[in-house]
Amino acid sequence: MPRKPLIAGNWKMNVNHIESVGLVQKLAWALTDLKFDPKKAECLVIPPFTDLRTVQIVIEGDRLPISWGAQDVSEHQNGAYTGDVSADMLVKLGCTYVVIGHSERRQYHNESDRTVNEKSRLALDKALTPIICVGEGLGVRRAGEHVEFTLDQVRGALEDIAADAAAKIVIAYEPVWAIGTGEVATPDDAQEVCGAIREELRTRYGDDVADAVRILYGGSVKASGIVALMVKDDVDGVLVGGASLDPQEFALITRFYESPNS
Ligand code: PEP
């Protein structure tokens, strides 16, 4: 089965729940204007926790062709974990995806590969699709160790995850030096690491899993560069930060398959 491209917009800590109504509606209008076909790509928004109920109501109420997910999840089922949000709570809010191990969580909240693995296993148990983020910093890239570094993160994230569950995972390769900096990895850079991740999946789980898992690229993605990325064999979509706050720009990225040169 061909992999359906996934275009995911991570709003990060931007947009309050009142503003989220306008952002989702403007995105939906832009998608309609561009004749977006949800059979050709999946459009996903990833708002802050506090917006999720509002976003759910707007999307479900207007039957918009947009999925929604969360930016993080607790590694614990429930209990005395002040400030955490559980997988069950996200499922109740209609979330189908959750970002795990974003570089900002790894950097500012000291999340390790082990935490990423625990969160991913719990998400999978609850039928939430984890979008597992991996990627190297500038020092590692300059040392030429980016592929091995990233594959180590992938291996850590996948520990004790069986093949049938692994097939449902999404992996996002996000070189840290390209996030929010305006520095975009070249399409060949993205393909090099996304291809290596797929080969790692093939070695670990076999062809069926390797061919099913969607691998995204993320890092300063804009509409102007989307086609060159999406033509790469192992790039199945993008995780977009800044540009996802501009509904017109994000809609253009989502409808990449109709862009000139595609
Ligand atoms: C991100 O937050 O995952 C990201 C890729 O951000 P940006 O597109 O702003 O670089």
Side-chain angles (χ1 to χ4, degrees):
M1 258 226 318
R3 297 182 292 270
K4 188 173 189 177
L6 175 62
I7 310 297
N10 173 15
W11 296 0
K12 309 195 186 196
M13 198 174 70
N14 299 294
V15 186
N16 65 40
H17 77 282
I18 297 168
E19 295 163 340
S20 73
V21 176
L23 183 49
V24 170
Q25 284 176 336
K26 283 182 194 150
L27 174 60
W29 292 331
L31 289 171
T32 305
D33 277 354
L34 291 168
K35 302 193 173 35
F36 168 63
D37 180 353
K39 289 202 255 350
K40 296 199 170 149
E42 184 171 358
C43 179
L44 168 69
V45 292
I46 308 172
F49 289 132
T50 51
D51 299 6
L52 284 171
R53 178 68 177 144
T54 306
V55 166
Q56 176 187 27
I57 289 169
V58 173
I59 293 176
E60 284 182 350
D62 291 345
R63 294 170 196 256
L64 304 177
I66 301 171
S67 315
W68 64 98
Q71 296 176 15
D72 186 33
V73 65
S74 173
E75 66 269 44
H76 305 289
Q77 295 261 6
N78 64 287
Y81 299 102
T82 303
D84 282 6
V85 174
S86 75
D88 283 330
M89 292 170 184
L90 298 179
V91 170
K92 271 279 180 223
L93 286 163
C95 291
T96 44
Y97 291 88
V98 60
V99 174
I100 296 180
H102 190 280
S103 61
E104 289 148 16
R105 301 291 314 170
R106 292 179 190 259
Q107 184 177 351
Y108 305 127
H109 299 270
N110 296 319
E111 289 196 5
S112 62
D113 290 338
R114 190 192 165 95
T115 315
V116 171
N117 173 253
E118 286 170 357
K119 290 183 175 191
S120 301
R121 282 191 284 139
L122 187 57
L124 286 162
D125 278 353
K126 304 290 179 181
L128 269 175
T129 299
I131 301 178
I132 299 174
C133 299
V134 291
E136 81 286 354
L138 194 54
V140 173
R141 160 72 50 170
R142 285 193 175 139
E145 291 163 3
H146 48 286
V147 173
E148 206 38 46
F149 178 93
T150 304
L151 292 184
D152 267 349
Q153 288 184 324
V154 170
R155 291 181 196 115
L158 296 178
E159 204 141 306
D160 292 329
I161 295 181
D164 55 339
K168 297 174 191 140
I169 286 172
V170 174
I171 297 178
Y173 168 56
E174 298 207 301
V176 180
W177 49 271
I179 296 181
T181 59
E183 287 285 331
V184 196
T186 66
D188 286 342
D189 290 336
Q191 170 57 32
E192 179 193 24
V193 183
C194 292
I197 293 171
R198 196 170 314 282
E199 284 320 300
E200 174 67 26
L201 295 170
R202 203 173 300 287
T203 307
R204 208 179 168 97
Y205 295 113
D207 288 344
D208 287 354
V209 173
D211 294 338
V213 169
R214 286 178 295 176
I215 303 175
L216 315 184
Y217 168 76
S220 298
V221 171
K222 304 256 177 333
S224 55
I226 186 66
V227 175
L229 278 169
M230 292 303 296
V231 295
K232 293 296 177 188
D233 285 351
D234 293 300
V235 177
D236 304 315
V238 282
L239 181 53
V240 184
S244 70
L245 300 174
D246 176 339
Q248 183 64 27
E249 180 79 6
F250 190 58
L252 281 167
I253 295 172
T254 304
R255 208 258 350 220
F256 69 91
Y257 53 84
E258 293 284 355
S259 301
N261 312 323
S262 63

